[in-house]
Amino acid sequence: VLIDGVLGTGIKLPLREPLGSLLGITRQVLSGMEHPPVVVAVDCPSGVDCDSGEADQRAIQADLTVCMAAVKEGMLKFPAYGFVGEIVTVDIGIPQGVAEWDGIKREIILKEWVRANLPPRPLDAHKGTFGTALILAGSRAYPGAAVLAGRSAYRIGTGLVTMAVPESIYPGLMESFPEATWVVLEEEEDGIQESSIEKVKTALKRSTACLIGPGWGKGRSTGHFLASFLEIASLPPLVIDADGLRLLSELREWSRTTPPGSVLTPHPGEMAVLCGLSVADIQADRVGTAERFAREWNQIVLLKGAHTVIAAPDGETRILISANPALAKAGSGDVLSGMITGLIAQGMAPFSAAAAGAWLHARAGTLAASRAGSPAALLAGEISGMIGETLAELTSRQS
């Protein structure tokens, strides 16, 4: 074992000599060893800036980083994350009553937290016990998004999934997804007809959560439909994803007309459209950006990408430590939004559902990639197909 405890959290780059040379020589020696030792970094790998995420290329790549008390923000940024290996935290005895410590509202999502917060599955349950998810999704160009979201809502435990889809894609989807119930929406040339809102109002009466947007396209008619949808007086908790977010951004004062506390699930490109920042600026401060706009919009923001960030309007933040290329596939986001909607439908608070859904989605992606043989070979539907195994792993007594 090689213990790397040369530099701590307060360093700023560039490294001064002789430290830079010392780290460089050590790295060179390690690379030439037939059986190199396990490298354990104390608090952070030497040569990593724990605020900015910058890293000197002579820094020694750790197999394990043992963080004192808390994970440092910069370690979850790139390139620093490439040097930390597995991250664990250890208690160092910070006493109660330290204002700076007690005021921290950012937490890492842990398996134990997800396990403890999953909706209960009582033996005397019926399908109504586990709620009804209404999913407004799909278009002629993107019919598969609807099925990916709907199946994922079912697999995460929802009692009933109702699909509201355009009439042109209904026949094919009905045959491939017989477990769902259906609301068929009239169409115009460029999207959903606004008058279809009356059918949706009827379906909403029994819904405990609602997802809008996956595979919608960007047609003007669908945008008018969305505006009318947001005017409905009594809406269940909402999850808004994909094209729903882009159409939302085109509505005037959308953050005020969208019910407070809705879950918005943008990737960086969609976030840029919503908030007006560049993708580069968003990626440079993912946590701060999500927190800022969750507060300004009074919405829950789930910013997708390496180390997904979930931020609530009250300042609570959850961060998923997961940089998984297996999830970088078309349709993966539809699976995630369906899972979150399904958890909300079962009674989880939207913020907790977003955090738990993100963790479960990432774990299902890891398991599915292992079965597929490579992250490159994974399909989004295979992530959905591994939700059951993920839940089994999570709830087993041995896990």
Side-chain angles (χ1 to χ4, degrees), residues 39 76 141 172 182 250 277 281 289 312 355 359 361 391 398:
V39 178
L76 301 183
W182 299 88
E250 297 174 2
L277 299 177
D281 288 340
T289 300
W359 189 95
H361 178 255
L391 291 173
Q398 289 77 29

Side-chain angles (χ1 to χ4, degrees), residues 312-383:
D314 64 1
E316 292 288 330
T317 301
R318 299 291 180 269
I319 302 169
L320 174 68
I321 298 183
S322 177
N324 188 351
L327 302 179
K329 284 292 181 71
S332 173
D334 305 322
V335 173
L336 172 61
S337 61
M339 293 173 70
I340 294 169
T341 305
L343 290 170
I344 297 172
Q346 295 173 71
M348 285 190 78
F351 179 68
S352 295
W359 189 95
L360 291 162
H361 178 255
R363 181 58 183 161
T366 298
L367 294 176
S370 177
R371 178 167 293 184
S374 167
L378 190 64
L379 299 177
E382 294 167 339
I383 301 173

Side-chain angles (χ1 to χ4, degrees), residues 29-232:
V29 171
L30 290 172
S31 66
M33 296 177 68
E34 183 178 357
H35 301 291
V38 174
V39 178
V40 179
V42 180
D43 216 12
C44 68
S46 298
V48 165
D49 186 319
C50 290
D51 294 321
S52 70
E54 296 176 281
D56 190 291
Q57 291 306 304
R58 294 168 293 184
I60 301 167
Q61 185 165 342
D63 298 296
L64 173 69
T65 297
V66 182
C67 294
M68 307 294 110
V71 176
K72 281 60 183 178
E73 181 180 356
M75 290 166 50
L76 301 183
K77 300 177 182 179
F78 289 89
Y81 185 70
F83 289 88
V84 298
E86 182 183 354
I87 299 174
V88 299
T89 58
V90 292
D91 182 14
I92 58 171
I94 295 177
Q96 293 183 348
V98 178
E100 293 84 355
W101 178 256
D102 293 342
I104 294 174
K105 291 189 173 184
R106 296 172 177 168
E107 293 185 14
I108 298 300
I109 305 169
L110 299 176
K111 175 194 290 186
E112 294 75 19
W113 178 88
V114 177
R115 180 191 288 119
N117 283 275
L118 282 177
R121 308 290 294 184
L123 294 177
D124 60 348
H126 53 84
K127 67 174 182 283
T129 305
F130 305 121
T132 297
L134 175 62
I135 296 179
L136 288 76
S139 64
R140 295 177 189 179
Y142 309 107
V147 174
L148 287 169
R151 282 185 174 153
S152 300
Y154 259 140
R155 289 189 182 280
I156 203 67
T158 310
L160 176 66
V161 174
T162 297
M163 306 293 297
V165 301
E167 56 188 351
S168 61
I169 65 173
Y170 162 68
L173 296 188
M174 180 191 65
E175 291 185 8
S176 65
F177 190 17
E179 298 88 349
T181 59
W182 299 88
V183 177
V184 182
L185 307 177
E186 288 80 14
E187 289 177 276
E188 296 183 17
E189 186 64 30
D190 62 348
I192 301 170
Q193 199 172 97
E194 190 174 359
S195 61
S196 293
I197 203 70
E198 296 304 319
K199 292 184 176 181
V200 172
K201 287 180 180 179
T202 301
L204 283 167
K205 293 178 182 178
R206 59 180 181 274
S207 301
T208 53
C210 180
L211 168 62
I212 57 177
W216 256 3
K218 305 177 184 68
R220 181 176 299 180
S221 296
T222 306
H224 295 322
F225 173 85
L226 174 60
S228 296
F229 177 87
L230 294 176
E231 292 174 357
I232 297 173

